[in-house]
């Protein structure tokens, strides 16, 4: 029993299709492109408010980037939020008003806000036209390719790993081990802002990596309490100012925070990754070998973003993310809304919140309150 | 009393994709347990055909209660309740056992099956002693939402609610809305967007001025808000309440007066230093923020000769805000790193001395010092009126549950957080949108109250007040008969009160002592 009438209230929205100038009642369904935490949250938020949706995912499985990440809570939850996407996948599967399609690509989008026709292509070259009132684009971003930054030695030294590789190992085997030896690391460095805040690659801050490395560092400490950790950073930027990495580090023996951007990582004695960096307040270049170095990768626009933007008829911003207009969740095309890191790098919580914000905008369009 | 009959459903995916154990073996084990009417494997219950199969299975079993061995009830609880209801059972008459994360994902095949068997046996034993708990379906009596706050945050939350077709009362504590500081907006288009909202949203809402909230009673969907204002006290019913107390995001001089870039120029300042709020401020934030950068850029635009220095330990410029930082740096704004607290010298202060990790002990002179801090005023009174906890900085605490952002310990009462991200317009908008969406979900969806809640046996209660004092959710109160009673809509079933009651008057529904004993019995009796 629904306590409130879920049907569209009186004063049903009538939009003007610019081409036909025929008044149309919006189609009461939303297409959501991408099943990361942003897309899933949008679908659930719409479902809770009585609007059916269709989640379109290019890959074979739901959950996006977040679903590849590991739980960083060893003895207790450290609030890395990785499990949010997995929980939401489960909830979406159990929701009767959310349809899911996997292995589909968007071909084109026609029509006006409220009455859109989305052409999609399935795996078996089968094409289909989906009739929807609004589209939420939640296609995410991709981790930076570390081979573009040769100085950091990824690919040359096995023990220089990316944050994503470490996450995947944590997700699949639950372990954090030195790749070349299979042993527990006794010294480990996090190198922050890899690709980020760099005019050559991503001239912005990726907004998630201070948080994620902080949580990874906590996982390392919990698994290997005697492992010494060096955190090489430019600024400590945690979304939630209540999270205090300094306080944590000061309470841990063998954890040091070094404000420095390493100039190079090369193979030192015994092939150990050796980091060259200028220590704060000291002009001299320091060189230090670690058992293992973790590169905190930037989030960059996905290679497919350009094509998708063209198919959807929406604009891109200077960095190559989906351009927003008016507010962060409204694209340049009426009826198409944005959520998550497709419109700029974000952490999981902010991406999820984007999902609800975009859902409200789609709902307002369908019900004519805006 | 007729004998309880339990139906056991094993989801075919309970053992995970890798089929760590054979679900059929688990079903066979369950079928032989005392009290089990029927046990069987259902093919993936979280798919549509699976759900139908589970409903049919329950109906045919003739059981009046059920155990489902599948994945987490945290995410699938709604599905399980729906299956029970559709099969004609009480929605709480289904006990979920997570044998996937609890067994299949964490143990080798042999032990995983053994653990799953034990878990199912425990759940069956528990369900044999099941009794229907108190419950009520929430019927929102009002689509009207109260937004409490005096500034931009409240306006943004109100807009998000109005856009969902809800009615909104804006409760201002003063006569007029507060103007947001100019430095909150990174460009003119943002300022315009905020100003348009400030002008247009109140026209779409009902604005109640100079109202102080005294208390809030009732349940979600039907909250009674007692306020006091010029016309005397009044009581109104709301479906939900959104708390959006306005943070103070101004840059203020040392006397606490808000200073804009134009003011700085008006005061003839030639050199301005912006200090972080630090320990003394509401946030304890020791960063250089985008607001300081916006102020500096604006000041330089008005008065190109002005010297502007920003001090802070970190530069808070997440995401695209990095561009703002570069813009400020190339415009000549100086950024200094702070190690420890800065010390002001002179009276009135004309110099600040601090430790810069690169430059060492540094002294800078200026004729205007500003402090960049965020504080959340008036939250004390709101916290008291709604019975909400605050964090160490005074901000209202929402339940920081990842799955339920914005909710507070009072169901139906939501709170915006301000100390997130860059603390610029987009962050305020994101918070407002999230919280308003949660309120909309509550008012449009179905909410069931009750289930796992505490209940007081009034005959036994000695009115010692222990439960009233310990409950984090203010659920128990002394009722008309002078005995404790637990409010269904507030109790979260945390169980904190039950063991404290000297009269053993408190019973936990769906988790009674007898049920716990029975479950423990299974483990202790288990042959090794
Ligand atoms: C190594 C690493 C570690 C991280 N750790 C953390 C952490 O600990 N905490 C944290 O908060 N954040 C973390 N993050 C950030 C987090 O992953 C992102 O915030 C989050 O994934 C963004 O969610 P999203 O839904 O916007 O996008 P995504 O998760 O990227 O999902 C987008 C989805 O859209 C699909 N898609 C893309 N294009 C199309 C198309 N054309 N058609 C159909 N589907 C399409 C993709 O396949 C994908 O499934 C981490 C990121 C990385 C790289
Ligand atoms: S994945 Fe992260 S948020 Fe989830 S339980 Fe693990 S540590 Fe906590
Ligand atoms: S979040 Fe931290 S690590 Fe990531 S780009 Fe920003 S400053 Fe660098
Ligand atoms: S703790 Fe027990 S005896 Fe005391 S008031 Fe509560 S129910 Fe009554
Ligand atoms: S079970 Fe917890 S929430 Fe419920 S009345 Fe007892 S202490 Fe309060």
């Amino acid at each position: 029993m629904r306590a409130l009438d879920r049907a569209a209230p009186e004063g049903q929205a009538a939009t003007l299709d610019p081409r036909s100038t025929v008044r149309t009642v919006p189609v009461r369904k939303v297409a959501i492109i991408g099943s990361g935490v942003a897309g899933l949250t949008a679908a659930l938020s719409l479902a809770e408010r009585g609007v059916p949706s269709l989640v379109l995912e290019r890959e074979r499985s739901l959950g996006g980037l977040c679903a590849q990440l590991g739980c960083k809570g060893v003895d207790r939850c450290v609030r890395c939020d990785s499990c949010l996407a997995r929980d939401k996948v489960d909830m979406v599967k159990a929701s009767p008003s959310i349809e899911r399609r996997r292995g589909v690509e968007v071909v084109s989008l026609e029509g006006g806000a409220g009455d859109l026709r989305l052409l999609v292509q399935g795996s078996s070259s089968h094409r289909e036209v989906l009739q929807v009132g609004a589209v939420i684009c939640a296609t995410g971003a991709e981790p930076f390719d570390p081979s573009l930054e040769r100085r950091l030695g990824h690919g040359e030294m096995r023990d220089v790993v990316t944050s994503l590789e470490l996450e995947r190992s944590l997700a699949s085997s639950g372990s954090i081990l030195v790749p070349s030896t299979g042993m527990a690391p006794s010294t480990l460095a996090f190198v922050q802002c890899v690709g980020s805040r760099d005019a050559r690659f991503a001239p912005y801050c990726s907004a998630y990596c201070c948080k994620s490395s902080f949580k990874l560092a906590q996982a390392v400490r919990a698994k290997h309490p005697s492992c010494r950790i060096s955190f090489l950073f430019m600024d400590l930027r945690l979304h939630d100012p209540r999270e205090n990495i300094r306080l944590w580090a000061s309470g841990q023996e063998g954890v040091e925070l070094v404000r420095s951007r390493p100039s190079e990582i090369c193979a030192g004695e015994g092939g150990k990754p050796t980091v060259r960096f200028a220590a704060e307040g000291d002009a001299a270049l320091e060189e230090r070998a670690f058992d293992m170095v973790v590169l905190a990768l930037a989030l960059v626009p996905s290679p497919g973003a350009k094509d998708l933007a063209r198919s959807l008829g929406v604009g891109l911003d200077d960095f190559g993310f989906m351009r927003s207009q008016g507010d962060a969740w409204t694209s340049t095309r009426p009826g198409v809304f944005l959520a998550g890191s497709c419109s700029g790098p974000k952490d999981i919580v902010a991406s999820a919140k984007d999902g609800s914000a975009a859902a409200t905008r789609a709902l307002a369009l369908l019900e004519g309150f805006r | 009393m007729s004998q309880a009959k339990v139906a056991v459903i094993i989801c075919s995916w309970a053992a995970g994709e890798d089929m760590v154990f054979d679900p059929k073996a688990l079903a066979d084990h369950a079928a032989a347990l005392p009290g089990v009417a029927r046990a069987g494997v259902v093919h993936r219950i979280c798919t549509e055909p699976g759900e139908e199969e589970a409903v049919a299975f329950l109906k045919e079993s003739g059981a009046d209660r059920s155990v489902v061995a599948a994945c987490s009830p945290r995410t699938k609880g709604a599905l399980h309740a729906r299956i029970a209801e559709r099969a004609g059972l009480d929605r709480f008459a289904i006990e979920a056992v997570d044998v996937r994360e609890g067994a299949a994902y964490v143990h080798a095949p042999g032990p995983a099956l053994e653990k799953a068997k034990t878990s199912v046996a425990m759940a069956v034993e528990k369900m044999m002693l099941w009794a229907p708990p108190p419950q009520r379906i929430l019927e929102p009596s009002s689509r009207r939402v109260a937004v409490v706050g005096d500034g931009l945050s409240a306006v943004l939350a109100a807009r998000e609610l109005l856009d969902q077709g809800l009615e909104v009362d804006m409760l201002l504590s003063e006569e007029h809305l507060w103007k947001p500081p100019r430095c909150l907006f990174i460009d003119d288009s943002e300022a315009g967007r905020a100003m348009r909202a400030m002008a247009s949203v109140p026209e779409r809402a009902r604005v109640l001025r100079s109202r102080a909230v005294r208390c809030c009673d009732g349940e979600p969907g039907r909250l009674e808000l007692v306020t006091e204002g010029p016309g005397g006290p009044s009581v109104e019913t709301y479906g939900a309440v959104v708390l959006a107390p306005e943070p103070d995001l101004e840059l203020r001089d040392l006397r606490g007066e808000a200073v804009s870039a134009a003011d700085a120029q008006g005061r003839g300042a030639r050199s301005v230093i912006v200090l972080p709020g630090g320990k003394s401020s509401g946030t304890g934030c020791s960063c250089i923020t985008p607001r300081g950068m916006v102020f500096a850029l604006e000041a330089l635009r008005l008065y190109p000769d002005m010297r502007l220095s920003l001090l802070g330990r970190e530069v808070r410029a997440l995401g695209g805000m990095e561009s703002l930082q570069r813009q400020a740096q190339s415009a000549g704004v100086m950024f200094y790193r702070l190690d420890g607290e800065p010390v002001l010298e002179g009276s009135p202060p004309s110099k600040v001395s601090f430790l810069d990790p690169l430059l060492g002990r540094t002294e800078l002179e200026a004729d205007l010092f500003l402090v960049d801090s965020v504080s959340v005023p008036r939250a004390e009174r709101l916290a008291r009126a709604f019975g909400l906890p605050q964090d160490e900085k005074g901000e209202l605490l929402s339940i920081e549950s990842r799955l339920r952002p914005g909710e507070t310990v009072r169901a139906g009462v939501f709170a915006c957080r301000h100390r997130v991200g860059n603390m610029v317009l987009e962050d305020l908008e994101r918070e407002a949108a999230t919280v308003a969406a949660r309120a909309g979900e509550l008012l449009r969806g179905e909410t069931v109250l009750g289930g796992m809640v505490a209940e007081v046996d009034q005959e036994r209660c000695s009115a010692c007040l222990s439960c009233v004092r310990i409950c984090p959710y203010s659920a128990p109160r002394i009722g008309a008969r002078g005995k404790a009673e637990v409010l269904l809509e507030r109790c979260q079933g945390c169980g904190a009160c039950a063991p404290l009651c000297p009269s053993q008057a408190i019973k936990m529904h769906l988790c009674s002592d007898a049920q716990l004993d029975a479950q423990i019995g299974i483990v202790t009796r288990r042959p090794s």
Side-chain angles (χ1 to χ4, degrees):
Chain A
M1 217 273 317
R2 303 291 160 204
L4 283 170
D5 183 12
R6 286 187 162 223
E10 40 176 355
Q12 171 66 277
T15 52
L16 222 45
D17 185 325
R19 252 146 300 189
S20 57
T21 67
V22 172
R23 284 185 161 269
T24 53
V25 174
V27 181
R28 205 175 160 75
K29 186 167 217 168
V30 179
I32 297 167
I33 311 172
S35 70
V37 69
L40 296 173
T41 306
L44 288 166
S45 183
L46 285 168
E48 292 260 357
R49 290 182 271 175
V51 179
S53 64
L54 185 59
V55 176
L56 306 166
E57 171 58 54
R58 191 180 51 190
E59 303 297 325
R60 293 306 309 164
S61 61
L62 305 182
L65 194 49
C66 208
Q68 300 180 31
L69 309 177
C71 171
K72 292 139 204 148
V74 176
D75 45 0
R76 64 193 169 83
C77 171
V78 296
R79 305 191 77 99
C80 74
D81 302 317
S82 301
C83 52
L84 191 59
R86 252 166 273 148
D87 281 354
K88 291 202 171 187
V89 169
D90 275 356
M91 289 164 81
V92 161
K93 284 185 180 165
S95 171
S97 55
I98 305 173
E99 266 180 75
R100 316 179 297 270
R101 302 274 167 85
R102 292 171 300 163
V104 293
E105 287 270 8
V106 171
V107 179
S108 69
L109 179 67
E110 281 170 36
D115 183 17
L116 291 158
R117 288 173 299 283
L118 188 67
L119 182 62
V120 299
Q121 165 119 38
S123 44
S124 52
S125 76
H126 162 77
R127 289 197 166 191
E128 194 185 351
V129 178
L130 305 167
Q131 199 93 28
V132 293
V135 170
I136 293 175
C137 177
T139 47
E142 309 239 320
F144 172 71
D145 173 4
S147 68
L148 296 173
E149 177 63 300
R150 303 216 66 92
R151 295 179 299 119
L152 299 182
H154 182 263
E156 283 161 33
M157 280 163 281
R158 280 180 72 194
D159 298 337
V160 175
V161 302
T162 67
S163 47
L164 188 61
E165 288 162 350
L166 188 60
E167 292 276 1
R168 286 195 179 132
S169 137
L170 201 55
S172 60
S173 64
S175 60
I176 297 175
L177 299 172
V178 181
S180 65
T181 61
M183 310 271 278
S186 56
T187 51
L188 184 147
F190 284 96
V191 173
Q192 294 302 105
C193 306
V194 172
S196 306
R197 307 183 66 185
D198 188 329
R200 296 168 301 158
F201 309 116
Y204 48 79
C205 158
S206 294
Y208 85 88
C209 16
C210 278
K211 165 181 175 181
S212 132
S213 296
F214 174 32
K215 313 289 163 137
L216 277 172
Q218 285 172 271
V220 173
R221 279 304 269 198
K223 280 193 187 291
H224 310 299
S226 60
C227 178
R228 305 181 73 82
I229 297 176
S230 302
F231 207 87
L232 290 109
F233 68 101
M234 292 166 62
D235 280 285
L236 297 173
R237 291 181 178 169
L238 291 149
H239 249 267
D240 188 336
R242 264 180 279 217
E243 302 217 299
N244 196 332
I245 181 168
R246 271 182 201 285
L247 195 67
W248 177 77
S250 67
Q252 303 274 322
E253 210 178 312
V255 174
E256 59 165 358
L257 302 177
V258 184
R259 196 191 302 277
S260 182
R261 181 166 214 166
S263 57
E264 202 177 2
I265 304 175
C266 41
E269 219 173 293
K272 269 195 177 185
T274 304
V275 184
R276 291 217 174 102
F277 60 97
E280 203 172 18
D282 184 357
L285 211 58
E286 205 171 310
E287 254 191 31
R288 209 171 326 152
F290 295 93
D291 287 351
M292 193 171 173
V293 176
V294 182
L295 308 180
L297 301 180
L299 276 177
V300 296
S302 27
K306 230 184 236 161
D307 287 339
L308 181 66
R310 204 172 309 123
S311 308
L312 293 177
V314 300
L316 294 176
D317 68 15
D318 302 346
F319 304 121
F321 291 106
M322 300 286 173
R323 179 182 290 280
S324 57
Q325 192 174 39
D327 61 28
W329 308 281
T330 308
S331 79
T332 53
R333 175 168 183 173
V336 179
F337 302 98
L338 307 172
S341 51
C342 68
S343 61
K346 282 173 200 95
D347 72 347
I348 292 165
V349 171
S351 299
K353 290 180 173 174
D354 272 8
S356 332
T360 297
R361 278 146 186 79
L363 173 96
L365 168 72
L366 301 195
E367 299 191 346
F369 293 115
R370 206 171 202 214
Chain B
M1 199 178 88
S2 65
Q3 187 59 41
K5 285 206 199 97
V6 185
V8 181
I9 296 174
I10 314 290
C11 174
S12 64
W13 269 41
E17 278 164 66
D18 303 338
M19 289 289 167
V20 171
F21 55 79
D22 178 11
K24 184 74 177 53
L26 187 54
D28 291 344
H29 168 81
L33 293 169
V36 172
R38 192 177 175 199
V41 178
V42 166
H43 188 64
R44 295 177 65 183
I45 65 164
C46 63
T47 62
E48 227 169 284
E51 179 176 341
E52 297 308 317
E53 197 186 329
V55 172
F57 180 92
L58 281 187
K59 278 186 180 159
E60 286 159 21
S61 70
D64 62 345
R65 57 199 69 185
S66 172
V67 165
V68 46
C71 48
S72 170
R74 187 170 35 123
T75 52
K76 297 291 172 56
L79 169 73
H80 299 156
R82 192 165 71 226
I83 290 174
E85 260 186 336
R86 291 186 53 203
L89 270 52
D90 187 299
R91 57 163 26 246
F92 289 107
I94 191 160
E95 174 81 4
V97 197
D98 185 355
V99 291
R100 195 173 71 176
E101 284 180 30
Y105 282 3
V106 288
H107 296 296
L113 179 61
E114 285 314 305
K115 182 166 175 193
K117 283 179 179 173
T118 311
S119 308
V120 168
M122 286 169 75
V124 167
E125 199 78 348
K126 180 177 179 189
M127 286 313 280
M128 292 297 287
L129 298 170
W130 178 87
Q135 55 188 289
R136 196 163 70 230
I137 292 187
L138 172 76
E139 307 241 358
S141 66
S142 174
R143 286 191 73 137
R144 188 170 281 278
V145 180
V147 176
V148 184
D150 285 286
L152 184 57
S153 282
V155 167
L156 296 173
R159 182 186 63 195
E160 298 287 330
L161 292 161
L162 290 162
D163 285 352
Q164 299 178 59
L166 298 163
E167 294 163 55
V168 172
D169 277 8
M170 294 185 67
L171 272 62
L172 312 188
S173 74
E174 291 174 5
E175 185 61 27
H176 297 287
L177 278 170
W178 299 356
K179 269 232 259 327
R182 182 69 185 80
C183 60
L184 194 57
F185 311 118
I186 56 171
D187 58 24
D188 290 342
S189 85
E190 277 202 1
R193 162 165 126 220
M195 289 313 159
R196 277 193 301 279
M198 293 286 289
S200 67
V201 171
E203 285 175 10
R204 297 164 67 196
R206 186 164 72 139
V207 183
L208 304 172
R209 297 171 196 280
S210 306
R211 299 222 71 96
V213 181
R214 289 288 171 245
C215 66
C216 174
D217 238 316
E219 60 192 51
R222 210 191 289 263
L223 290 165
E224 295 201 336
L225 213 59
V226 181
T227 63
E228 217 168 81
S234 86
V235 186
E236 293 260 3
T237 305
Y238 295 101
V241 177
V242 170
L243 304 178
E246 189 67 358
D248 180 5
L249 297 159
E250 298 273 9
L251 301 188
R252 295 183 178 275
D253 67 14
L254 298 174
R255 290 196 309 268
E257 211 171 299
V259 177
S260 69
D263 296 338
Q265 190 205 11
R267 292 191 189 184
R270 313 193 131 262
S271 165
V272 182
I273 290 179
V274 181
L275 303 162
K279 284 200 189 98
S280 53
S281 84
T283 47
C285 178
S286 50
C287 301
I288 296 171
T289 71
R291 293 186 310 282
M293 300 175 212
V294 168
F295 172 90
L297 281 168
E298 170 97 356
L300 281 179
R301 199 171 55 80
L302 293 172
Y303 188 65
D305 290 339
M306 202 183 276
R307 267 217 328 265
L308 281 138
S309 313
L310 306 178
L311 270 59
R313 175 171 247 168
E314 311 292 335
V315 181
R316 180 164 273 271
L318 288 105
M321 236 25 90
E322 181 86 16
S323 315
L324 189 71
Q325 180 182 352
R326 265 203 307 280
Q327 206 182 328
Q329 276 164 337
S330 55
V333 178
M334 299 301 293
F335 286 65
Y336 292 93
R337 297 248 179 231
L338 276 181
D339 214 350
E341 297 276 311
V343 180
L344 288 167
E345 286 165 21
S347 106
S350 60
K351 201 156 69 174
V352 61
S353 110
F354 58 95
L355 196 63
D356 179 307
L358 282 180
L359 308 170
R361 174 70 45 200
T362 307
E363 287 187 350
L364 290 178
E365 285 185 17
D367 39 30
L368 180 60
F369 290 91
L370 298 178
V371 181
D372 176 3
S373 64
V374 190
S375 58
V376 188
R378 289 182 170 72
E380 276 75 30
R381 273 168 29 200
L382 280 182
R384 214 173 316 123
F386 288 91
L388 300 181
Q390 291 169 275
D391 70 6
E392 71 287 357
K393 306 290 178 207
E395 190 167 28
L396 294 175
L397 263 186
S398 44
I399 300 178
E400 283 188 56
S401 154
R402 296 159 308 103
L403 287 171
R404 297 149 66 198
E407 287 186 21
T408 67
V409 297
R410 284 291 303 277
V413 178
F414 301 86
C416 293
R417 282 187 50 197
H418 301 293
R419 298 196 300 125
V420 281
N422 292 310
M423 291 179 259
V424 293
L425 180 61
E426 184 182 319
D427 302 284
L428 299 193
E429 285 176 329
R430 184 175 286 110
E431 282 308 297
T434 306
V435 167
R438 302 288 306 136
E441 290 166 14
L442 169 78
L443 294 182
R444 288 192 179 219
E446 182 180 82
T447 307
V448 179
L449 303 173
M452 194 188 285
V453 290
E455 191 178 17
V456 174
D457 180 345
Q458 305 254 313
E459 303 310 316
R460 286 185 160 197
C461 172
S462 53
C464 74
L465 294 179
S466 298
C467 56
V468 177
R469 286 200 195 97
I470 189 74
C471 176
Y473 305 98
S474 317
R477 65 173 179 199
I478 301 297
R481 294 174 53 197
K483 299 291 175 81
E485 59 188 29
V486 174
L487 299 174
L488 204 62
E489 64 274 14
R490 291 198 188 181
C491 177
Q492 308 281 316
C494 74
C497 56
L500 279 184
C501 174
S503 319
Q504 294 186 355
I506 302 177
K507 170 180 175 186
M508 294 303 301
H509 284 281
L510 298 184
C511 192
S512 67
D513 287 355
Q515 285 178 307
L516 288 175
D517 281 344
Q519 286 184 286
I520 294 165
I522 291 283
V523 192
T524 49
R525 265 191 278 119
R526 196 180 60 159
S528 55

